[in-house]
Amino acid sequence: MLSNKIKLINVLFAFLVGLSAFFSTNLTLAQNQPTVTIHRYESPPIDAVNLYWIETNKGIILIDAGRFLSQARYALDEILAVNKPILGILITHPHTDHYGGLPVFVDAAIEDVPIYASEITYNDLKTDSQGFIKARNQLHGNDFPDKDTIPLPNHIVKTGDTIKLGGLTFEVIDLPENETITTTLYYLSQQNALFAGDFVVNQTIPFLGDGFSSNWLNQLRSQQLQYPEETIIYHGHGKPDRVERLIKAQIKYIETMRRLVAEALAGDREVTPSEQEQIVAQLEKQHSDYKTSLVLPNLRIGNIKGIAKELS
Protein backbone atom coordinates (compact mmCIF):
# COMPACT_ATOMS: atom_id res chain seq x y z
CA MET A 1 0.00 0.00 0.00
CA LEU A 2 2.79 2.45 0.95
CA SER A 3 4.73 1.76 -2.26
CA ASN A 4 1.58 2.47 -4.29
CA LYS A 5 1.15 5.82 -2.52
CA ILE A 6 4.78 6.71 -3.22
CA LYS A 7 4.35 5.84 -6.89
CA LEU A 8 1.22 7.99 -7.06
CA ILE A 9 3.04 10.94 -5.47
CA ASN A 10 5.90 10.62 -7.95
CA VAL A 11 3.47 10.50 -10.89
CA LEU A 12 1.76 13.64 -9.62
CA PHE A 13 5.08 15.43 -9.27
CA ALA A 14 6.12 14.48 -12.78
CA PHE A 15 2.87 15.96 -14.11
CA LEU A 16 3.00 19.09 -11.97
CA VAL A 17 6.53 20.03 -12.94
CA GLY A 18 5.12 21.08 -16.30
CA LEU A 19 2.69 23.45 -14.56
CA SER A 20 5.43 25.41 -12.85
CA ALA A 21 5.49 29.17 -13.27
CA PHE A 22 7.96 32.01 -13.70
CA PHE A 23 7.53 35.52 -12.31
CA SER A 24 9.83 38.52 -12.68
CA THR A 25 10.27 41.80 -10.85
CA ASN A 26 12.29 44.59 -12.44
CA LEU A 27 14.15 46.98 -10.15
CA THR A 28 15.53 50.06 -11.89
CA LEU A 29 18.00 51.80 -9.63
CA ALA A 30 19.91 55.05 -9.41
CA GLN A 31 22.56 56.03 -11.93
CA ASN A 32 25.73 53.88 -11.83
CA GLN A 33 23.78 51.07 -10.15
CA PRO A 34 23.05 47.84 -12.05
CA THR A 35 19.59 47.17 -13.38
CA VAL A 36 18.27 44.19 -11.47
CA THR A 37 15.55 41.73 -12.42
CA ILE A 38 14.45 39.23 -9.78
CA HIS A 39 12.93 36.13 -11.32
CA ARG A 40 10.88 33.67 -9.28
CA TYR A 41 10.49 30.07 -10.41
CA GLU A 42 7.65 28.40 -8.47
CA SER A 43 7.10 24.68 -8.75
CA PRO A 44 4.85 22.81 -8.62
CA PRO A 45 1.62 24.64 -7.72
CA ILE A 46 0.25 21.95 -5.39
CA ASP A 47 3.52 21.77 -3.42
CA ALA A 48 5.06 25.10 -4.31
CA VAL A 49 8.66 26.00 -3.59
CA ASN A 50 10.41 29.14 -4.84
CA LEU A 51 13.76 29.39 -6.55
CA TYR A 52 14.99 32.91 -7.30
CA TRP A 53 17.50 34.04 -9.88
CA ILE A 54 18.70 37.60 -9.94
CA GLU A 55 19.67 38.96 -13.33
CA THR A 56 22.13 41.85 -13.48
CA ASN A 57 24.13 43.37 -16.31
CA LYS A 58 26.99 41.03 -15.49
CA GLY A 59 25.25 37.71 -14.90
CA ILE A 60 22.96 35.53 -12.77
CA ILE A 61 22.90 34.93 -9.02
CA LEU A 62 20.78 32.05 -7.76
CA ILE A 63 19.03 32.03 -4.39
CA ASP A 64 18.53 28.35 -3.52
CA ALA A 65 18.28 25.62 -6.13
CA GLY A 66 14.84 24.04 -5.98
CA ARG A 67 13.61 20.66 -4.84
CA PHE A 68 14.20 18.27 -7.75
CA LEU A 69 16.63 17.83 -10.59
CA SER A 70 13.78 17.97 -13.13
CA GLN A 71 12.54 21.28 -11.73
CA ALA A 72 16.04 22.72 -11.80
CA ARG A 73 16.32 21.81 -15.49
CA TYR A 74 13.15 23.76 -16.28
CA ALA A 75 14.52 26.80 -14.47
CA LEU A 76 17.91 26.38 -16.15
CA ASP A 77 16.29 26.58 -19.58
CA GLU A 78 14.99 30.05 -18.69
CA ILE A 79 18.33 31.11 -17.24
CA LEU A 80 20.30 29.98 -20.29
CA ALA A 81 17.92 31.92 -22.55
CA VAL A 82 19.31 35.26 -21.28
CA ASN A 83 22.84 34.21 -22.27
CA LYS A 84 24.54 35.33 -19.08
CA PRO A 85 26.85 33.34 -16.80
CA ILE A 86 25.89 31.97 -13.38
CA LEU A 87 27.99 34.05 -10.99
CA GLY A 88 27.09 32.39 -7.70
CA ILE A 89 24.56 30.36 -5.70
CA LEU A 90 23.36 31.38 -2.24
CA ILE A 91 21.78 28.65 -0.06
CA THR A 92 19.44 29.81 2.69
CA HIS A 93 19.01 26.68 4.81
CA PRO A 94 19.50 22.89 4.89
CA HIS A 95 16.07 21.67 3.80
CA THR A 96 16.12 19.46 0.74
CA ASP A 97 13.46 21.38 -1.19
CA HIS A 98 15.92 24.27 -1.45
CA TYR A 99 19.09 22.53 -2.64
CA GLY A 100 18.02 19.40 -4.55
CA GLY A 101 18.69 21.05 -7.92
CA LEU A 102 22.26 22.12 -7.11
CA PRO A 103 23.98 19.58 -9.42
CA VAL A 104 22.08 20.91 -12.44
CA PHE A 105 23.19 24.52 -11.96
CA VAL A 106 26.76 23.70 -10.98
CA ASP A 107 27.18 21.47 -14.04
CA ALA A 108 25.80 24.25 -16.27
CA ALA A 109 28.22 26.91 -15.00
CA ILE A 110 31.06 27.79 -17.38
CA GLU A 111 33.55 28.11 -14.53
CA ASP A 112 33.67 26.83 -10.97
CA VAL A 113 30.72 28.55 -9.40
CA PRO A 114 30.93 29.84 -5.82
CA ILE A 115 28.28 28.37 -3.50
CA TYR A 116 27.60 30.31 -0.31
CA ALA A 117 26.09 28.90 2.89
CA SER A 118 26.51 28.97 6.65
CA GLU A 119 28.74 26.47 8.40
CA ILE A 120 25.74 24.67 9.87
CA THR A 121 24.17 24.31 6.42
CA TYR A 122 27.49 23.09 4.97
CA ASN A 123 27.86 20.45 7.69
CA ASP A 124 24.30 19.23 7.26
CA LEU A 125 24.67 18.83 3.49
CA LYS A 126 27.96 17.02 3.98
CA THR A 127 26.77 14.56 6.63
CA ASP A 128 22.98 14.43 6.09
CA SER A 129 22.77 14.70 9.87
CA GLN A 130 18.98 15.05 9.81
CA GLY A 131 18.45 12.21 7.32
CA PHE A 132 16.56 14.42 4.88
CA ILE A 133 18.61 13.46 1.81
CA LYS A 134 18.15 9.75 2.48
CA ALA A 135 14.40 10.22 2.92
CA ARG A 136 14.11 12.17 -0.36
CA ASN A 137 16.03 9.46 -2.21
CA GLN A 138 13.71 6.78 -0.90
CA LEU A 139 10.62 8.76 -1.83
CA HIS A 140 11.61 10.26 -5.18
CA GLY A 141 14.43 8.10 -6.52
CA ASN A 142 16.43 9.48 -9.43
CA ASP A 143 14.81 12.92 -9.35
CA PHE A 144 16.68 13.77 -6.16
CA PRO A 145 20.49 13.57 -6.05
CA ASP A 146 22.46 11.19 -3.87
CA LYS A 147 24.35 12.77 -0.98
CA ASP A 148 27.71 12.25 -2.70
CA THR A 149 26.58 14.03 -5.87
CA ILE A 150 25.31 17.20 -4.17
CA PRO A 151 27.93 19.96 -4.57
CA LEU A 152 28.98 21.30 -1.20
CA PRO A 153 29.17 25.03 -0.44
CA ASN A 154 32.69 26.32 -1.02
CA HIS A 155 32.25 29.72 0.67
CA ILE A 156 31.20 29.68 4.34
CA VAL A 157 29.42 32.86 5.50
CA LYS A 158 28.35 34.27 8.86
CA THR A 159 26.46 37.26 10.19
CA GLY A 160 28.16 40.51 9.22
CA ASP A 161 29.76 39.17 6.06
CA THR A 162 29.12 40.75 2.67
CA ILE A 163 29.01 38.98 -0.69
CA LYS A 164 29.78 40.92 -3.86
CA LEU A 165 28.40 39.39 -7.05
CA GLY A 166 27.29 40.91 -10.34
CA GLY A 167 27.68 44.46 -9.08
CA LEU A 168 25.47 43.72 -6.06
CA THR A 169 26.37 43.57 -2.39
CA PHE A 170 24.53 41.04 -0.22
CA GLU A 171 24.55 41.46 3.55
CA VAL A 172 24.54 38.18 5.47
CA ILE A 173 22.41 37.52 8.57
CA ASP A 174 22.68 33.98 9.93
CA LEU A 175 20.00 32.93 12.43
CA PRO A 176 20.21 29.51 14.12
CA GLU A 177 17.18 27.55 15.34
CA ASN A 178 13.98 28.83 13.77
CA GLU A 179 12.07 27.02 11.02
CA THR A 180 15.11 24.77 10.73
CA ILE A 181 18.45 24.34 12.49
CA THR A 182 19.66 27.52 10.81
CA THR A 183 18.52 30.10 8.24
CA THR A 184 20.78 32.49 6.38
CA LEU A 185 19.18 35.73 5.20
CA TYR A 186 20.70 37.63 2.26
CA TYR A 187 19.82 41.32 2.15
CA LEU A 188 20.25 43.75 -0.76
CA SER A 189 19.87 47.08 1.01
CA GLN A 190 19.98 49.28 -2.11
CA GLN A 191 17.30 47.15 -3.73
CA ASN A 192 15.21 46.73 -0.54
CA ALA A 193 15.16 42.98 -1.19
CA LEU A 194 15.49 40.34 1.55
CA PHE A 195 15.95 36.69 0.56
CA ALA A 196 14.76 34.75 3.57
CA GLY A 197 14.35 31.05 2.76
CA ASP A 198 11.64 29.68 5.06
CA PHE A 199 12.30 32.15 7.88
CA VAL A 200 9.13 33.81 6.62
CA VAL A 201 6.60 32.24 4.24
CA ASN A 202 3.29 33.41 2.79
CA GLN A 203 0.04 31.50 3.39
CA THR A 204 1.99 28.29 3.83
CA ILE A 205 2.05 26.05 6.89
CA PRO A 206 5.52 26.45 8.45
CA PHE A 207 7.57 23.61 9.89
CA LEU A 208 7.56 23.75 13.71
CA GLY A 209 8.55 20.18 14.47
CA ASP A 210 12.07 21.00 15.68
CA GLY A 211 10.79 22.81 18.76
CA PHE A 212 12.37 26.18 18.02
CA SER A 213 9.16 28.24 18.02
CA SER A 214 10.09 30.45 21.01
CA ASN A 215 13.48 31.34 19.55
CA TRP A 216 11.92 31.84 16.12
CA LEU A 217 9.39 34.33 17.54
CA ASN A 218 12.17 36.33 19.19
CA GLN A 219 14.09 36.45 15.93
CA LEU A 220 11.03 37.50 13.93
CA ARG A 221 10.29 40.36 16.33
CA SER A 222 13.89 41.49 16.14
CA GLN A 223 14.16 41.27 12.35
CA GLN A 224 10.85 43.10 11.97
CA LEU A 225 12.60 46.29 13.08
CA GLN A 226 15.67 45.98 10.88
CA TYR A 227 14.37 46.83 7.41
CA PRO A 228 12.63 49.77 5.69
CA GLU A 229 8.88 49.31 5.28
CA GLU A 230 9.20 49.07 1.48
CA THR A 231 11.46 46.02 1.75
CA ILE A 232 10.15 42.96 -0.09
CA ILE A 233 10.77 39.51 1.34
CA TYR A 234 11.56 36.89 -1.29
CA HIS A 235 10.94 33.69 0.63
CA GLY A 236 10.69 29.96 0.03
CA HIS A 237 6.94 29.37 -0.31
CA GLY A 238 4.20 31.66 -1.62
CA LYS A 239 4.21 35.12 -3.17
CA PRO A 240 6.79 37.72 -2.10
CA ASP A 241 5.38 40.65 -0.17
CA ARG A 242 6.34 43.52 2.12
CA VAL A 243 8.38 42.75 5.19
CA GLU A 244 5.91 44.10 7.75
CA ARG A 245 2.89 42.16 6.48
CA LEU A 246 4.71 38.85 6.14
CA ILE A 247 6.53 38.96 9.46
CA LYS A 248 3.34 39.97 11.30
CA ALA A 249 1.48 37.06 9.70
CA GLN A 250 4.27 34.62 10.58
CA ILE A 251 4.30 35.78 14.19
CA LYS A 252 0.52 35.49 14.44
CA TYR A 253 0.48 31.92 13.11
CA ILE A 254 3.21 30.71 15.48
CA GLU A 255 1.61 32.46 18.47
CA THR A 256 -1.73 30.85 17.62
CA MET A 257 -0.13 27.41 17.44
CA ARG A 258 1.62 27.88 20.78
CA ARG A 259 -1.56 29.15 22.47
CA LEU A 260 -3.70 26.25 21.24
CA VAL A 261 -1.11 23.66 22.26
CA ALA A 262 -0.59 25.32 25.66
CA GLU A 263 -4.34 25.21 26.31
CA ALA A 264 -4.39 21.49 25.50
CA LEU A 265 -1.42 20.86 27.79
CA ALA A 266 -2.94 22.77 30.70
CA GLY A 267 -4.94 19.83 32.09
CA ASP A 268 -2.84 16.69 31.97
CA ARG A 269 0.38 17.90 30.32
CA GLU A 270 -0.27 16.03 27.12
CA VAL A 271 -2.07 16.64 23.85
CA THR A 272 -4.39 13.73 23.15
CA PRO A 273 -5.29 12.62 19.60
CA SER A 274 -8.72 14.17 20.10
CA GLU A 275 -7.15 17.48 21.15
CA GLN A 276 -4.82 17.32 18.16
CA GLU A 277 -7.85 17.03 15.88
CA GLN A 278 -9.49 20.00 17.59
CA ILE A 279 -6.35 22.12 17.14
CA VAL A 280 -6.12 21.16 13.46
CA ALA A 281 -9.79 22.09 12.98
CA GLN A 282 -9.24 25.51 14.57
CA LEU A 283 -6.15 26.14 12.47
CA GLU A 284 -7.98 25.19 9.29
CA LYS A 285 -10.80 27.55 10.24
CA GLN A 286 -8.55 30.49 11.13
CA HIS A 287 -6.04 29.93 8.32
CA SER A 288 -8.09 28.26 5.61
CA ASP A 289 -5.90 29.78 2.89
CA TYR A 290 -2.71 28.21 4.23
CA LYS A 291 -1.31 25.46 2.02
CA THR A 292 0.49 22.32 3.12
CA SER A 293 2.99 20.07 1.39
CA LEU A 294 1.87 17.13 -0.71
CA VAL A 295 4.65 15.01 0.79
CA LEU A 296 3.91 16.20 4.35
CA PRO A 297 0.15 15.69 4.72
CA ASN A 298 0.46 15.40 8.51
CA LEU A 299 2.54 18.57 8.91
CA ARG A 300 0.05 20.18 11.32
CA ILE A 301 0.12 17.12 13.62
CA GLY A 302 3.92 17.09 13.54
CA ASN A 303 3.95 20.78 14.43
CA ILE A 304 1.60 20.20 17.37
CA LYS A 305 3.84 17.44 18.71
CA GLY A 306 6.96 19.58 18.26
CA ILE A 307 5.48 22.54 20.12
CA ALA A 308 4.03 20.28 22.85
CA LYS A 309 7.49 18.85 23.49
CA GLU A 310 8.98 22.34 23.50
CA LEU A 311 6.41 23.75 25.93
CA SER A 312 6.70 20.74 28.21
Side-chain angles (χ1 to χ4, degrees), residues 1-306:
M1 181 66 71
L2 180 59
S3 63
N4 289 337
K5 289 182 178 179
I6 291 175
K7 289 178 181 178
L8 177 59
I9 288 173
N10 287 329
V11 168
L12 284 170
F13 269 114
F15 169 73
L16 289 167
V17 163
L19 300 180
S20 304
F22 292 88
F23 307 87
S24 299
T25 301
N26 292 298
L27 303 177
T28 303
L29 306 173
Q31 190 175 6
N32 299 325
Q33 293 296 325
T35 299
V36 177
T37 303
I38 299 175
H39 304 265
R40 176 169 69 102
Y41 172 69
E42 181 186 45
S43 65
I46 200 170
D47 197 29
V49 58
N50 293 327
L51 176 163
Y52 298 98
W53 52 284
I54 305 169
E55 180 184 353
T56 75
N57 303 334
K58 297 180 180 180
I60 303 297
I61 303 108
L62 280 164
I63 310 295
D64 289 333
R67 180 186 285 112
F68 297 125
L69 297 171
S70 57
Q71 293 169 358
R73 293 185 189 107
Y74 274 86
L76 180 62
D77 287 343
E78 296 294 318
I79 292 171
L80 294 177
V82 304
N83 197 28
K84 293 180 181 179
I86 297 174
L87 304 175
I89 303 172
L90 282 57
I91 303 299
T92 60
H93 65 288
H95 277 175
T96 52
D97 53 336
H98 297 274
Y99 63 78
L102 263 176
V104 171
F105 298 112
V106 172
D107 289 347
I110 298 175
E111 300 178 355
D112 291 341
V113 61
I115 305 172
Y116 299 84
S118 70
E119 185 173 4
I120 294 175
T121 295
Y122 168 86
N123 289 332
D124 193 70
L125 267 66
K126 183 177 181 179
T127 64
D128 192 23
S129 60
Q130 300 179 94
F132 292 156
I133 297 173
K134 181 179 180 181
R136 284 285 187 192
N137 285 145
Q138 292 176 343
L139 187 60
H140 302 293
N142 294 333
D143 205 15
F144 192 87
D146 295 327
K147 180 172 73 69
D148 295 337
T149 64
I150 298 175
L152 291 174
N154 47 32
H155 288 70
I156 304 303
V157 295
K158 62 184 183 302
T159 295
D161 287 350
T162 57
I163 302 168
K164 296 183 182 296
L165 289 170
L168 301 177
T169 300
F170 295 85
E171 300 172 23
V172 177
I173 307 100
D174 191 49
L175 301 170
E177 297 187 351
N178 33 75
E179 189 266 351
T180 178
I181 55 176
T182 193
T183 300
T184 306
L185 312 181
Y186 300 98
Y187 179 47
L188 292 173
S189 60
Q190 291 184 323
Q191 291 77 18
N192 289 317
L194 178 65
F195 297 89
D198 291 352
F199 183 71
V200 176
V201 292
N202 191 359
Q203 295 182 333
T204 303
I205 299 172
F207 178 70
L208 295 159
D210 283 338
F212 300 143
S213 69
S214 177
N215 195 56
W216 191 0
L217 282 173
N218 289 334
Q219 291 173 350
L220 285 165
R221 292 169 183 141
S222 174
Q223 289 299 308
Q224 191 175 23
L225 307 175
Q226 302 302 316
Y227 309 99
E229 62 179 14
E230 62 268 24
T231 299
I232 300 297
I233 298 184
Y234 297 88
H235 47 79
H237 303 274
K239 295 180 180 179
D241 205 339
R242 290 187 180 272
V243 60
E244 182 178 11
R245 194 193 78 78
L246 288 184
I247 290 184
K248 278 185 176 179
Q250 193 74 71
I251 289 172
K252 181 179 179 181
Y253 188 92
I254 297 172
E255 287 180 338
T256 299
M257 281 286 299
R258 287 173 57 88
R259 175 178 58 79
L260 293 173
V261 173
E263 290 171 355
L265 287 170
D268 52 10
R269 306 305 300 166
E270 68 171 325
V271 184
T272 65
S274 175
E275 289 171 327
Q276 290 176 12
E277 292 179 4
Q278 292 174 22
I279 293 172
V280 168
Q282 291 184 66
L283 289 170
E284 289 178 342
K285 181 179 181 180
Q286 295 180 40
H287 301 279
S288 60
D289 54 349
Y290 274 49
K291 302 173 184 176
T292 189
S293 170
L294 179 65
V295 296
L296 296 171
N298 295 318
L299 180 56
R300 287 189 179 94
I301 297 297
N303 285 345
I304 292 169
K305 292 179 178 180

